[in-house]
Amino acid sequence: MAYLTLKATAYFSSSIDSSSETYLPSSPSKLLKLPPFWPWEKVKVGPLSVSPMGFGTWAWGNQLLWGYQESMDNELQQTFNLAVDNGINLFDTADSYGTGRLNGKSEKLLGKFIREYQGQKRLQKDIVIATKFAAYPWRLTPGQFLNACNASIDRMQIEQIGIGQLHWSTANYAPLQEKALWDGLVAMHDKGLVRAVGVSNYGPKQLVKIYDYLKARGVPLCTAQVQFSLLSVGEDQLEIKNICDSLGIRLIAYSPLGLGMLTGKYTPSNLPRGPRAFLFRQILPGLDPLLSALEEIAKKRSKTMPQVAINWCICKGTIPIPGVKTVKQAEENLGALGWRLRSQELLQLEYAARESPQKMIQNIFQTR
């Protein structure tokens, strides 16, 4: 239940020297250190081409967990600009992101930042928004789910969504609602409201079911979003990844840093503020083997622990979407690109993950 409280709602084969500096046109006061050969290659997601890492926007508008205040909007816009300037074109959001009166705030901010982006028009045009539609109990018909998609388009003031995703499955508690939501995905695809469709928090069995259902109606399932990290890589995640690989579905890894537990910033005596502290207090004491391995590899490769953890997700064939709310976080996360962990380092990290007795609590909406 703890995680429900928190979340209810082509690469280079060796390390590249990161000492060179790149000028950011839409952030003229900022100089960002990047590899001399920036990895602008993209990953195919159905009809779309996206960056090998996206950025998540759960924190944008979330006061309860992430301490959002409207005074942060200027830095959020700078963060967005920096990401787009440096090749990131995938941004993940949801119609439920934003607490209380700020519900939908994440989508509104994302749409605003896209409209006001002052960089190259080509980069602006290539931005892919992946938003998730909540399986609220009052969304009982395909038409109601279609309305949710239209509402997101209106909030963001865009013509078309890149990837429209069902935020979670209702199979665990309202199985009769599920088919209506699936038909809603078909409708928004057929009407051209979304370029691609995906799901989030689907387990192996339900993933195959919806893939077959959509395929029979001429709609390809392009993405599956799941909690996937060194802190959350159990049998279900590996089975989902294998299914995605066999069916041509792209796995999007949310919470690749374990809500911040894999950053090295926190200890049992130095916990984050807010509800995350409760979860961190339970899990951090059992993460010493994994955190030590991350730190060791980071030092050897002249990287940071978050960069190593995100790069691991990329090496496993996923598209990680770490959350960002500051320029500093975006700069650090960008350092996860342009290099690749060696096979022995991957094995070292995965062994350390198995040796760490604590694992991330799974989202209660995750199905089998």
Side-chain angles (χ1 to χ4, degrees):
M1 286 299 293
Y3 193 72
L4 172 59
T5 304
L6 297 174
K7 181 76 172 174
T9 51
Y11 317 111
F12 296 103
S13 60
S14 61
S15 179
I16 300 174
D17 177 18
S18 59
S19 61
S20 64
E21 294 182 334
T22 297
Y23 182 68
L24 301 178
S26 64
S27 305
S29 63
K30 297 288 182 180
L31 285 174
L32 175 61
K33 293 183 178 180
L34 293 174
F37 302 100
W38 180 242
W40 287 89
E41 60 267 49
K42 294 292 188 285
V43 175
K44 290 296 292 181
V45 176
L48 306 167
S49 294
V50 304
S51 46
M53 173 182 69
F55 280 162
T57 64
W58 180 21
W60 300 10
N62 189 302
Q63 294 177 318
L64 175 66
L65 187 62
W66 301 108
Y68 168 80
Q69 299 294 331
E70 290 185 355
S71 59
M72 298 176 177
D73 288 359
N74 183 55
E75 181 162 21
L76 288 176
Q77 187 161 19
Q78 292 178 35
T79 301
F80 172 85
N81 290 342
L82 184 147
V84 177
D85 286 344
N86 287 281
I88 301 298
N89 77 328
L90 176 64
F91 294 88
D92 182 79
T93 184
D95 64 358
S96 62
Y97 284 179
T99 50
R101 65 178 179 83
L102 296 174
N103 192 52
K105 185 68 171 181
S106 175
E107 287 187 334
K108 290 179 181 178
L109 286 173
L110 190 52
K112 176 178 182 288
F113 297 163
I114 292 172
R115 291 192 303 275
E116 297 179 358
Y117 178 70
Q118 298 296 309
Q120 298 179 38
K121 291 298 181 183
R122 174 183 60 81
L123 298 180
Q124 184 184 43
K125 182 181 178 181
D126 287 346
I127 291 170
V128 174
I129 296 176
T131 196
K132 300 181 290 294
F133 310 112
Y136 291 135
W138 55 86
R139 291 176 176 171
L140 296 172
T141 68
Q144 289 171 325
F145 210 50
L146 194 64
N147 290 340
C149 180
N150 279 312
S152 288
I153 288 174
D154 289 344
R155 269 191 296 273
M156 292 185 280
Q157 297 181 39
I158 58 176
E159 296 182 358
Q160 187 182 45
I161 290 167
I163 309 172
Q165 306 162 100
L166 175 52
H167 203 156
W168 65 84
S169 167
T170 64
N172 287 346
Y173 61 92
L176 296 181
Q177 184 185 3
E178 188 93 334
K179 182 176 177 293
L181 301 177
W182 292 0
D183 286 338
L185 286 177
V186 173
M188 62 182 71
H189 180 271
D190 289 349
K191 290 181 178 296
L193 301 180
V194 302
R195 295 188 64 191
V197 302
V199 293
S200 178
N201 297 309
Y202 265 62
K205 292 181 180 179
Q206 284 299 110
L207 182 60
V208 173
K209 286 181 182 179
I210 189 172
Y211 172 87
D212 289 339
Y213 188 89
L214 295 179
K215 183 180 180 181
R217 285 150 184 82
V219 179
L221 181 63
C222 293
T223 63
Q225 191 172 142
V226 67
Q227 184 182 179
F228 190 97
S229 72
L230 281 162
L231 195 54
S232 182
V233 60
E235 291 183 4
D236 274 5
Q237 283 85 358
L238 295 177
E239 187 177 354
I240 292 167
K241 180 63 174 62
N242 289 335
I243 291 170
C244 286
D245 290 346
S246 65
L247 297 180
I249 304 168
R250 280 287 179 183
L251 194 149
I252 298 176
Y254 75 74
S255 294
L257 298 176
L259 297 179
M261 273 184 271
L262 299 181
T263 64
K265 289 172 54 179
Y266 303 105
T267 66
S269 59
N270 178 35
L271 299 170
R273 296 178 182 177
R276 280 190 300 160
F278 174 74
L279 186 64
F280 280 43
R281 191 176 290 113
Q282 296 179 66
I283 298 177
L284 274 175
L287 291 187
D288 284 348
L290 178 54
L291 294 177
S292 295
L294 282 168
E295 184 177 23
E296 178 185 336
I297 293 172
K299 287 180 178 178
K300 286 181 179 178
R301 301 298 294 269
S302 297
K303 303 296 177 183
T304 67
M305 291 171 65
Q307 290 167 356
V308 172
I310 294 170
N311 192 272
W312 177 86
C313 291
I314 294 172
C315 288
K316 301 305 288 185
T318 76
I319 303 174
I321 49 169
V324 289
K325 60 178 182 176
T326 67
V327 169
K328 182 179 179 181
Q329 288 175 342
E331 288 175 347
E332 182 166 30
N333 290 346
L334 284 166
L337 297 174
W339 62 286
R340 196 172 179 88
L341 285 163
R342 303 180 181 99
S343 58
Q344 188 58 42
E345 293 167 333
L346 295 172
L347 292 173
Q348 180 183 349
L349 288 169
E350 289 157 22
Y351 176 80
R354 289 192 297 270
E355 290 299 300
S356 297
Q358 295 291 352
K359 300 289 184 286
M360 176 64 82
I361 297 171
Q362 296 303 298
N363 194 317
I364 196 171
F365 288 129
Q366 181 75 34
T367 60
R368 272 298 299 161

